Amino acid sequence: MAQARLAIDGGPRAKTTPNIPMYPGGYEIGEDEKREVCDALDKKYIFRYYMPDGLTSKVAAFERCIADMCGRKYALAVNSCTSALICALEACGIGPGDEVIVPAFTYWSSASAVLSARAVPIIAEVDDSFTIDPADLERKITPRTKAVMPVHMRGSACDMDRIMDIARRHGLKVIEDNAQACGGTYKGRPLGSFGECGCFSFQYYKIITTGEGGMLLTDDERTWIRAQMVHDSAACWRPDRFAPARFPGELFFGYDFRMSETAGAIGLAQFRRLPGLLERMRRNKARICAGLADLPAKGIVPRRQNDPEGDTGICVMFMVPTVELCEKFVRALAAEGVDVMHPYHRDIPDWHVAHHWRQLIEQVTPTPEGYPFRDPARKGAPVSYDNLCPRTADLLGRAVHINVPPQMTEQDCDMIAEAVRKVADAYL
Ligand SMILES: Cc1ncc(COP(=O)(O)O)c(C=O)c1O
């Protein structure tokens, strides 16, 4: 059969339907969200704390939804996942002189939260699951390491069995960054339920959204109380806010990261949409992947899943044999009409790959001396980000990423598979 002419060479496009933006829950905002927000407004009380008698907090109800989904005892809603990560780190007592191991593929606030807690992020490779490589994590542990932050990147679980085993053996805290995989599981267990703390994002581009928002989950009451201290400088949740500390380390100055009742109201409506969103994204992804099933014979390697069953289905990722080919592949696929991107391209700045985190590599912070990177109290060799994670650069440099919005039709999915096959036939 004659090979189809690629769109990039003047042929017809394989995908002719419009691309749908990747705001899974945000794109579905409707009557339910309006009803919940109006209900909050009608009460004329949209602050989360000090609820007048007879009213109940929507933020508290939203906290219970996420905590119950994950089988966690305690939840704390905040204004972003970055705030949740800062609360988690500070609640776990991580601070000056400590190191926290973070993967090289994550949104950079996983690392910036560590710096905000005045500790130093150490960057570990990802493996072919595009999540933290447990072997490199273990290699990067030093006497200063206090925690690891597994990031369930692009909707899919880290290797939690190995990570929890390493953490146990080395006495590390585990703070899960589950910003991108709300509703995902690992071997049947909800993501966000593994470590000392699990942190979520409800920012607009996430699976479900409150516009801006985040949440911290934990099973440890004292960690939760300390996290509350971080998220609210007035400590206004306390039964008696002027009472002395109930345990050593309870009282200290925090920030103001609270979630408002209007955000909580949207969260409640969005939470009800979560099962349906996941179901549709997983179905769409399965349909696209079924259309690509024979491509490994051509040298296309699908992203390895630590647990395919628990994947949220937000994207399709695969690798091609070389970085050069990947650049051609992505250009050609975009010309075919597919919403496609490079997770990592050395010349295209991106917030999600450590090789582009200039502030980290140059160790720049708000103070001229570069604290906490350059901390006179630091024990051991100065931190260095030279020769950062070459394996991650290679794996992600050969990777192709396609979003899978829940709103896609079967025709959209089939056209995407057809476009990938067309480009693979031409280039591989
Ligand atoms: C992996 C990861 N961690 C943390 C964050 C930060 O979330 P937020 O914008 O809610 O602070 C994001 C958001 O993009 C993310 O993708």
Side-chain angles (χ1 to χ4, degrees), residues 6 13 53 55 81-82 139 151 155 165 240 255 269 272 283 294 315 322 351 353 358 367 392 413 416 419:
L6 291 179
R13 286 170 18 153
D53 283 349
L55 299 184
C81 182
T82 309
R139 268 194 297 276
V151 183
D165 173 60
D240 173 355
Y255 309 86
R272 293 193 281 271
R283 194 173 56 218
D294 58 347
C315 67
T322 66
W351 300 324
V353 184
R358 201 127 292 291
T367 51
T392 299
C413 298
I416 289 173

Side-chain angles (χ1 to χ4, degrees), residues 80-82 85 106-107 109-110 151 153 177 179-180 201 203 206 213:
S80 73
C81 182
T82 309
L85 292 169
T106 178
Y107 179 58
S109 70
S110 312
V151 183
M153 198 54 182
D177 178 337
Q180 297 197 3
S201 175
Q203 171 260 6
K206 300 305 184 289

Side-chain angles (χ1 to χ4, degrees), residues 13-181:
R13 286 170 18 153
K15 184 165 187 294
T16 50
T17 52
N19 284 320
I20 296 161
M22 189 64 191
Y23 328 130
Y27 210 56
E28 310 253 310
I29 287 173
E31 292 308 315
D32 204 13
E33 283 79 0
K34 287 187 206 164
R35 215 172 9 254
E36 287 285 3
V37 172
C38 287
D39 188 42
L41 295 177
D42 285 344
K43 292 174 184 166
K44 299 193 187 301
Y45 193 86
I46 53 175
F47 184 57
R48 184 260 154 94
Y49 292 105
Y50 309 129
M51 265 296 145
D53 283 349
L55 299 184
T56 54
S57 162
K58 289 185 184 284
V59 174
F62 181 43
E63 286 175 339
R64 218 43 265 156
C65 291
I66 301 291
D68 289 348
M69 174 179 80
C70 294
R72 287 285 213 177
K73 285 192 188 143
Y74 304 102
L76 181 66
V78 287
N79 58 359
S80 73
C81 182
T82 309
S83 304
L85 292 169
I86 295 169
C87 289
L89 290 157
E90 296 198 2
C92 286
I94 290 157
D98 297 339
E99 292 178 353
V100 179
I101 301 180
V102 172
F105 182 40
T106 178
Y107 179 58
W108 62 14
S109 70
S110 312
S112 74
V114 176
L115 290 162
S116 298
R118 300 168 300 278
V120 171
I122 300 298
I123 312 300
E125 299 270 19
V126 297
D127 60 21
D128 56 350
S129 71
F130 304 136
T131 63
I132 195 163
D133 173 2
D136 198 49
L137 153 63
E138 190 152 23
R139 268 194 297 276
K140 299 242 157 99
I141 293 171
T142 71
R144 297 173 293 279
T145 311
K146 291 293 179 322
V148 53
M149 192 183 287
V151 183
H152 306 300
M153 198 54 182
R154 303 311 299 136
S156 187
C158 299
D159 185 342
M160 292 313 295
D161 283 345
R162 288 178 67 197
I163 293 167
M164 295 308 285
D165 173 60
I166 293 167
R168 242 184 320 268
R169 283 190 285 107
H170 293 272
L172 307 182
K173 306 263 188 199
V174 175
I175 295 171
E176 288 175 82
D177 178 337
N178 194 28
Q180 297 197 3

Side-chain angles (χ1 to χ4, degrees), residues 34 102 108 112 138 149 157 184 226 277 290 309 317 320 325 336 344 347 389 405-406 420 426:
K34 287 187 206 164
V102 172
W108 62 14
S112 74
E138 190 152 23
M149 192 183 287
R226 280 171 57 87
L277 293 168
E309 296 291 304
M317 292 179 81
V320 300
L325 194 56
E336 295 295 338
Y344 172 61
D347 300 325
C389 300
V420 176

Side-chain angles (χ1 to χ4, degrees), residues 237-253:
W237 78 93
R238 302 182 76 229
D240 173 355
R241 59 196 167 115
F242 299 110
R246 291 169 288 181
F247 59 89
E250 182 191 0
L251 293 180
F252 52 87
F253 287 130

